[in-house]
Amino acid sequence: MSDVPTIQAHSSDSTPAHGPSSPSRSSAASIEGTLRMCVLTLGGELFAIDLRHVSEVFEVEAVTVVPSMPGLLTGVTNLRGTVITLVDLRGSLGLPVTGTVLPFAVVIRHGSRQVGMLVDHVPEIHTVSREHLLPAMQAGPAGARPCVSAVLRLDERLGGVLEVPQVFAQVDGGSAILSIA
């Protein structure tokens, strides 16, 4: 894994999220009126995560399936000696789940916990104005997209903003393996 992409925060509005270093917490912090967001695609749809919760991105080379894991959890992988639990949110977000394993993972953190969220492509980093965040639609089946707290308007595209605490609440559906990661 010598060419493993990692998140690198840049000052430009749109940058690919790969490079030799991971973000510092100060560069990921929101500037008044703006937020640094990790913009990713999942099941062909656009989503964003506050960059303060993202530690890195890596290419998934091998997945070890753990027996009796909930459907949301794909398995675990070894990232430089650390066991990372892999999560596929497509099903819980109402997106089609194909049989293929997604090629990249975004490591997200909440407190001392971390998981690798599987994604379609290497994400981009964007600085967005808070005025580009719109309220999430509350219509539809209850719990249709429980992790989406807002809608991000990015150029001509719209995407859901994923709330990391709610992602971890989804993952907590009986998984003791998260305490290992």
Side-chain angles (χ1 to χ4, degrees):
M1 292 197 308
S2 61
D3 291 332
V4 175
T6 58
I7 294 287
Q8 185 175 24
H10 295 283
S11 60
S12 66
D13 285 343
S14 173
T15 56
H18 52 81
S21 65
S22 60
S24 69
R25 292 295 170 212
S26 62
S27 67
S30 62
I31 302 168
E32 189 169 330
T34 63
L35 293 169
R36 299 284 285 160
M37 303 294 279
C38 176
V39 178
L40 52 96
T41 56
L42 187 60
E45 289 195 32
L46 187 72
F47 291 94
I49 298 175
D50 187 327
L51 190 59
R52 293 177 289 183
H53 293 287
V54 177
S55 60
E56 68 181 290
V57 175
F58 66 96
E59 184 174 5
V60 178
E61 293 183 355
V63 176
T64 302
V65 177
V66 178
S68 302
M69 287 183 81
L72 181 68
L73 304 178
T74 303
V76 296
T77 193
N78 183 343
L79 178 63
R80 296 184 301 280
T82 301
V83 176
I84 301 290
T85 303
L86 298 174
V87 178
D88 187 349
L89 292 178
R90 292 179 292 182
S92 67
L93 292 171
L95 302 171
V97 179
T98 62
T100 60
V101 174
L102 299 172
F104 297 98
V106 176
V107 178
I108 56 174
R109 293 183 182 270
H110 182 61
S112 63
R113 300 171 58 202
Q114 67 181 9
V115 295
M117 187 175 80
L118 296 169
V119 298
D120 296 327
H121 303 285
V122 174
E124 299 174 352
I125 305 302
H126 290 265
T127 300
V128 298
S129 171
R130 291 185 188 272
E131 61 193 33
H132 289 124
L133 295 176
L134 309 168
M137 296 292 292
Q138 299 302 317
R145 291 200 171 177
C147 304
V148 177
S149 64
V151 175
L152 172 65
R153 185 179 62 218
L154 191 63
D155 300 324
E156 298 297 318
R157 305 176 294 171
L158 294 176
V161 176
L162 298 174
E163 286 298 318
V164 172
Q166 293 171 329
V167 169
F168 276 88
Q170 286 282 308
V171 170
D172 281 341
S175 173
I177 197 149
L178 284 175
S179 60
I180 295 172

